[in-house]
Amino acid sequence: MKGINEDKKRYSGRTILRLGRYMLQYKWMLALAFLCTLGSNLFSLIGPKLTGLCIGAVEPGRGAVDFGAVFYYAAWMAGFYVISAGMSYGLQVLMLTISRGVVFRMRQEVFEKLMTLPAGYFDTHQTGDVISRISYDIDTVNASLSNDLVQLLTTVITVAGALVMMVTISPRLVLVFAFTVPLSLFITKYITSRTRPLFRKRSASLGELNGFVEEMISGQKTLKVYGREEYTQGRFDGKNKEAVEAYYQAEYYGSVVGPCVNFINNLSLSLISVFGALLYLGGAMSVGDISSFVLYSRKFSGPINEAANIFSELQSAFAAAERVFRLLDEETEAADAPGAGELTRVRGDVRLRHVSFGYEPGRMILRNLSLEAQPGRLIAIVGPTGAGKTTLINLLMRFYDPQSGEILVDGQNALSYTRSSLRRAYAMVLQDTWLFHGTIYENLAYGKMDASREEVEAAAKAARIHSFIMRLPEGYDTVLTDEGTNISKGQKQLLTIARAMLLDARMLILDEATSNVDTRTEQQIQRAMRRLMEGKTCFVIAHRLSTIENADLILVVDGGEVVEQGTHRELMDWGGMYRRLYEAQFE
Amino acid sequence: MKQLVMKYLRPYFLKMGIGFVIKFGGTIMDLCIPYILAHIIDRVIPAQNRPAVFGWGGLMLLCSFLAVSMNIIANRMASRVASDAAEIIRRDLFSKTMHLSNAQIDSFTKPSLISRMTTDTYNVHQALGRVQRLGVRAPILLLGGILVTFTLDWAMACVLLAALPLLALITIAVSRRSIPMFGALQEAIDRFVRMVREDIAGIRVIKALSRTGFETEKFRSINAEVARREKKNGMVMAVIDPSVSILLNLGLVGVILTGAFRVNAGISEVGKILAFTTYFTIILNAVMSITRMFTMLSKAIASGSRIWQVLECGEDLQVLEKVYGEEKHEEMHGEEVMEDCEICFDHVTFSYRKKGEPNIRDLSFCIRPGETLGIIGEIGSGKSTIINLLLRLYDVDRGRILIGGRDVREIPTREFKEMFGVVFQNDTLFEDTIAGNVTLGRRLGEEQVKEALLYARASEFVENRSGREEEALNIKGANLSGGQKQRVLIARALAARPRILILDDSSSALDYRTDAQLRRGIREHFQETTLVVVAQRISTVRNADQILVMEDGAPVGYGSHGELLENCAVYREISRSQMGEEAAG
């Protein structure tokens, strides 16, 4: 337990340093902001002085007023206030620019991080929680950066100024603060140490709630047809209560700081008046001195009070920043090996040698798997569900790397190529189609941004989706709404096939690419598919065995191992698992 | 926003009122302290009265204690009210969201609903707490300050007050501009959320196509858009503070000048001007606090109205008393056949967009209890739409759908939903145990779960998992293979022994053997269940009692496998393509 606490403590320290680094990007603007703060605070100190002079020129008595002096000082006052206001606006603009810049960068970094995380990260981390980090948590950091820093700066300046003034008036009376300032520091620190975990919990429980909401809204249709609204509501209520309670606790304890510090200020004020009175009675201080001392002490304690409020805001900002940084510190896909080369002029020769792999240690999905795919060959992988077919694709694409054994591409270990060049060498159509919010044209040209309109249309025609597209009101410019809900799964598959057709990769992976396409359409696109496969090394996973009869090599995978391999004819003659699977189609 | 406040804060008005009173007390205590101080300096010290010094000092301490405790209590109450109200708003919003019809979800879009559920409720929660905590002190100080200045010198007070309407004007003008700006900002955030969601869903494709750089650039522009809007809002809001301070300070200059004339005329005193400046600071700070609250409120109002948009959404797809009477229907079957029909589509026409070509055109068919209906057809021919209509996820445009002789629109919701077990094409597995995914919280015993998994042919792999039925699944069932996912989904549909079982292309990832065994098992153990199967494979539907062949939203064949082979060209062609000549023959 202690270890965790210490770890958290170290994390807090680092969090502040890291936030500081983001701010330092803008050191010139920060310096300017500092000057503005200094300036507007000094002016606000001069303001009362001028007011005093101006009022001083108003001599009591009928007709005794020195209007010349009054107007003179009044003009100065007006001038100073306008400048001071101008400066404070400038300051806000500066801080906005800085905080927006920092937030922009943080969001960008988080997003880039998301792009480099291993694909499996999102299998165990709810999308909603990730969204919560990139939006709510970063927002919290930002709100604090743009307001609280200025406030803190103001505090420091006024407190320092007031302290100096007070020391000049009565060093002895300042001793009161030797008691109250440590006291307020102590209380603030105490409350802070209590609230810190609360703010952490607040961010975490909100993230969890958001994760839940995202998951449930995504699956709303299913929950609805099973009439599970009430049940889901029950689970939501629990999480909602937790999040609200965490918010309440943090907010409540955070808001205790203000009144407490205010109390200490009042305490010091009381002490000052009592001791001041005693000093006066002892003849060590004049009434005038006491009253200006009190005025400055108010100047002194006002900002401290503010600062205490800011403290609780900073707490929540740090808790939020921690969550952001933890995400940024997640392990990414291992970097490309040093000296990794680009895979260019691909021949399409792929060999697996004694590859073993499991997602979790101790549970191997693939065991000692070897296979050879010569350029231009069609390799089919069949087997019962859960046999490890999709895992094999994950390894080919290097979403994961094998625990032992190696994968050779064009005679070299796949690890010796950069990931992006290796992946570019493959075209891939997966079972899970993915389309994004954008026009059909953009979705099709996604893999090849420089594709001409004609090329795109040709691919769509080949994939037998052109006429469907043309029947849509906007044709190729039809915007696919979120998750492409306005078209069927089969149509999505055809679109992703068309997308793959536009790529000029030397290797092709088809993982159940046509599982939701009716066979008639499938047959109609056969020719195009064959053209797509022509001259490419193809890896095909399919249940409809009719589609792979003419494969050069069929691998039958079961329990992570290749149990049979050969051509269709050979395997049928062999009479093993393949034959049983094949015949099951006609049962 | 007004409705939102009225609806959700009304129950707390009393509690809020008490909180305000306590806060008021605390504020007064806070304000007493300087008065006592002034008293000590002005009266007690000159009187050289030591015991009185301690007495008054003790009173100050007492006031401090009261102030701190009252403020803490009031803050606590405010936080409590804000949290409770936010909890209920969020609960209702979630409940509403879960009950929205598919058409409504499509029009809001899921990312927008998600950000309404999350950021918008958060904004409202935050504002509720802060406004309560800060909303008492500032107005009290403002009013008190103004009152005192009036007692001092009405003419000077009027000069200062003259600045207030101008201030109000500026604040209102800024709020007017900023509320729609915050709305626009939230919309930009919706886009932002959508992109993150989308890219997480498609991360493998993005990586496979090496488009991470492109996505990053795309995100950069959305990110920049959000940042730009946030900055713009900030700039508009930032106008308030300096203009408050300019106006009030100029007001102060005016006060001094007026004071100078009045002193010169002998109707006022310098001391009054001096006192005026003290109260002026209080007024200035109070006004600043109030305008700051406006900023917070603008954001909350924009968010509140986004929440309200969802909450005020009408109940779609209500259960109707009696659908017909006015319209006469040509029935495709005789009245008596309709009687013993389980599912009957009667001249159904429907389109999603409500314009252009309908997605389903004049569809009629009928199946008896315990029968199996197979639906087959090209993609986009309307197969899934039939399922959507049968499940009443959408209402028909024309015609009617009957279950057991009753129009689906007349069947009470709960009863209606308990009739079905469904697996959709893109169905969802949740981050829960296998058993939890099967039951979805329905009252189903362990035995029923086991049985369902067995008939769905999922037991074989479930038994091999270390946790068996209690094995936790990753998000979207990511630790299962495609075929395993489908089998868990089928188990979910079977578990409650539904009256009607719908499988929409839900065995596509199963190998043929498993698929065949699965179908046999279902027919054997669920003889009373009416089965609707949408499939691509002839083998999945060939044993069905009736097969419906769809093309372009209209039926082109209806009958048994044998009948269709004889008289439906489309069916023959599909069959030939899958089974080869001999099987089709």
Side-chain angles (χ1 to χ4, degrees), chain A residues 346-419:
Chain A
V346 191
R347 283 187 294 121
D349 180 272
V350 181
R351 282 153 212 262
L352 271 71
R353 282 205 197 133
H354 309 292
V355 167
S356 293
F357 174 78
Y359 295 97
E360 296 154 40
R363 227 177 57 212
M364 287 296 156
I365 305 286
L366 296 180
R367 284 187 211 95
N368 199 20
L369 186 106
S370 299
L371 74 85
E372 218 166 278
Q374 281 151 10
R377 291 296 193 84
L378 171 58
I379 314 294
I381 303 153
V382 300
T385 55
K389 295 174 304 233
T390 304
T391 306
L392 183 61
I393 307 285
N394 279 340
L395 294 182
L396 288 176
M397 297 297 290
R398 284 196 66 198
F399 290 138
Y400 294 91
D401 289 325
Q403 269 116 2
S404 68
E406 53 181 2
I407 298 173
L408 303 176
V409 177
D410 286 356
Q412 277 199 55
N413 195 325
L415 302 177
S416 69
Y417 300 115
T418 60
R419 260 202 200 78

Side-chain angles (χ1 to χ4, degrees), chain A residues 250-262:
Chain A
E251 187 86 338
Y252 164 53
Y253 280 107
S255 72
V256 161
V257 179
C260 279
V261 172
N262 203 16

